[in-house]
Amino acid sequence: MKVGYLGPRGSFTYSAAANFFNENVLLPYDSLTALLEEQRKGALDYCVVPIENTIEGSVLPTLDLIFQTLPTIQAEIVLPIQQQLMVHPAHADSWQDTELICSHQQALAQSQVFLMNHFPTVDIEQIGSTAQGAQKVADNPDKRYAAIGSRDAAKQFGLTIVQENIQSISENETRFWVLGEQPVAGNLPHGKNKATVLFDLASDHPGALYQGLAIFAAEDINLTKIESRTQKTKLGEYFFIIDLETPAKEKLNKVLLQLKEQNFAVTLIGDYPTYLPAVRKS
């Protein structure tokens, strides 16, 4: 088995993947694009991608790439996220003199209150993953760099955590999807089953969205999320991604058939178990 994740080792995606799969099957990738492309080509059995965070909402690049590649969601993992400020051990006593802070854009956004209070004028660099930020700090021991990321990242790259749990809210979690062609089960605590559909309006007219959503309502199906994303064709053209609590199989199939009969473009991309909370591995 080969399982890809947004790396390197020590990223939050690594923590989610390592809670679900055996660590010896995990392969890091530098970008979501490369990761999903390898999974699409069949070079990976599964890949693990971040999809939504409590503070910052949806991970939009993931949503857009999923719309383009249409993988199948086999599971959802919910990981508690605690952001740590870390520096090279040589600068642990002078971390307030940091000259550059680097991390993934989501981690930076989740920690923006701390950054504004402590480093209002320090340069910020967005980087591909939190672990890549930690690696940059480790690779430049002579420079006063800091990274924001997980305890796993600090341990992996030999950095010192100088400020703990700097995220803006304490109940910070990220959802991750496990994508692949075959069902896969985890040993984590099991939550509700969910399904996700991509949904496009039949035509642009008043009440078009309501017409589609009314079909779900008529079958008493609870939608847990609905979000619009541009189709990247022209202004005003969108698709919707809808998460719902999975009803009985026949009811879900009935709703999908009704949508198609009314000329809505709808694609089921997953009917899957959720696992929460995932416990971070040390």
Side-chain angles (χ1 to χ4, degrees):
M1 182 186 293
K2 294 181 179 179
V3 179
Y5 68 94
L6 182 63
R9 184 184 173 100
S11 67
F12 285 108
T13 310
Y14 164 80
S15 297
N19 271 278
F20 198 84
F21 295 98
N22 192 307
E23 291 184 58
N24 61 17
V25 304
L26 301 181
L27 299 171
Y29 284 81
D30 291 337
S31 71
L32 286 170
T33 302
L35 176 58
L36 285 168
E37 178 62 16
E38 287 296 283
Q39 200 275 331
R40 186 191 66 81
K41 294 190 302 186
L44 296 170
D45 297 290
Y46 301 97
C47 67
V48 181
V49 298
I51 191 68
E52 185 181 23
N53 174 260
T54 304
I55 299 174
E56 280 302 295
S58 295
V59 182
L60 300 181
T62 304
L63 287 182
D64 292 341
L65 287 167
I66 284 176
F67 177 66
Q68 295 168 22
T69 58
L70 297 179
T72 301
I73 307 163
Q74 298 295 351
E76 178 176 290
I77 309 164
V78 177
L79 184 75
I81 302 295
Q82 295 178 328
Q83 303 288 0
Q84 319 299 326
L85 182 72
M86 59 195 73
V87 300
H88 191 275
H91 306 301
D93 293 333
S94 57
W95 62 269
Q96 296 94 335
D97 299 326
T98 293
E99 298 173 350
L100 175 72
I101 298 174
C102 47
S103 191
H104 187 270
Q105 61 180 4
Q106 284 268 333
L108 293 169
Q110 291 166 32
S111 309
Q112 60 183 323
V113 174
F114 173 88
L115 293 176
M116 285 188 295
N117 288 337
H118 292 82
F119 299 104
T121 61
V122 170
D123 290 337
I124 304 294
E125 180 181 354
Q126 293 187 8
I127 207 160
S129 73
T130 53
Q132 288 175 17
Q135 185 173 33
K136 179 167 183 173
V137 173
D139 290 344
N140 293 274
D142 58 325
K143 297 181 179 179
R144 296 185 181 277
Y145 290 172
I148 296 173
S150 69
R151 294 184 184 276
D152 284 336
K155 181 179 178 180
Q156 176 69 24
F157 295 103
L159 303 181
T160 299
I161 295 173
V162 292
Q163 291 287 289
E164 297 182 326
N165 303 337
I166 65 172
Q167 67 277 359
S168 298
I169 65 171
S170 58
E171 298 299 321
N172 187 25
E173 296 177 324
T174 294
R175 299 165 56 210
F176 297 85
W177 280 345
V178 178
L179 308 176
E181 295 305 313
Q182 299 297 324
V184 60
N187 293 321
L188 302 173
H190 195 287
K192 294 181 179 180
N193 274 45
K194 293 170 63 176
T196 297
V197 298
L198 298 181
F199 178 83
D200 194 3
L201 301 181
S203 60
D204 185 11
H205 64 269
L209 178 58
Y210 170 80
Q211 180 184 350
L213 296 180
I215 296 175
F216 291 98
E219 294 297 330
D220 198 30
I221 294 176
N222 183 36
L223 306 184
T224 61
K225 180 183 178 183
I226 178 169
E227 184 165 1
S228 64
R229 289 295 295 152
T230 175
Q231 295 193 21
K232 295 181 171 46
T233 50
K234 64 180 181 179
L235 286 175
E237 292 192 347
Y238 300 90
F239 73 93
F240 297 86
I241 185 164
I242 297 175
D243 293 342
L244 52 99
E245 292 182 5
T246 305
K249 193 72 175 180
E250 60 274 11
K251 183 180 286 190
L252 179 59
N253 289 338
K254 178 181 178 182
V255 166
L256 296 177
L257 179 60
Q258 289 181 42
L259 288 167
K260 291 175 181 177
E261 287 176 344
Q262 295 190 31
N263 296 318
F264 289 95
V266 59
T267 303
L268 177 68
I269 61 170
D271 184 356
Y272 50 91
T274 65
Y275 297 90
L276 76 154
V279 179
R280 183 190 62 80
K281 289 191 174 184
S282 59

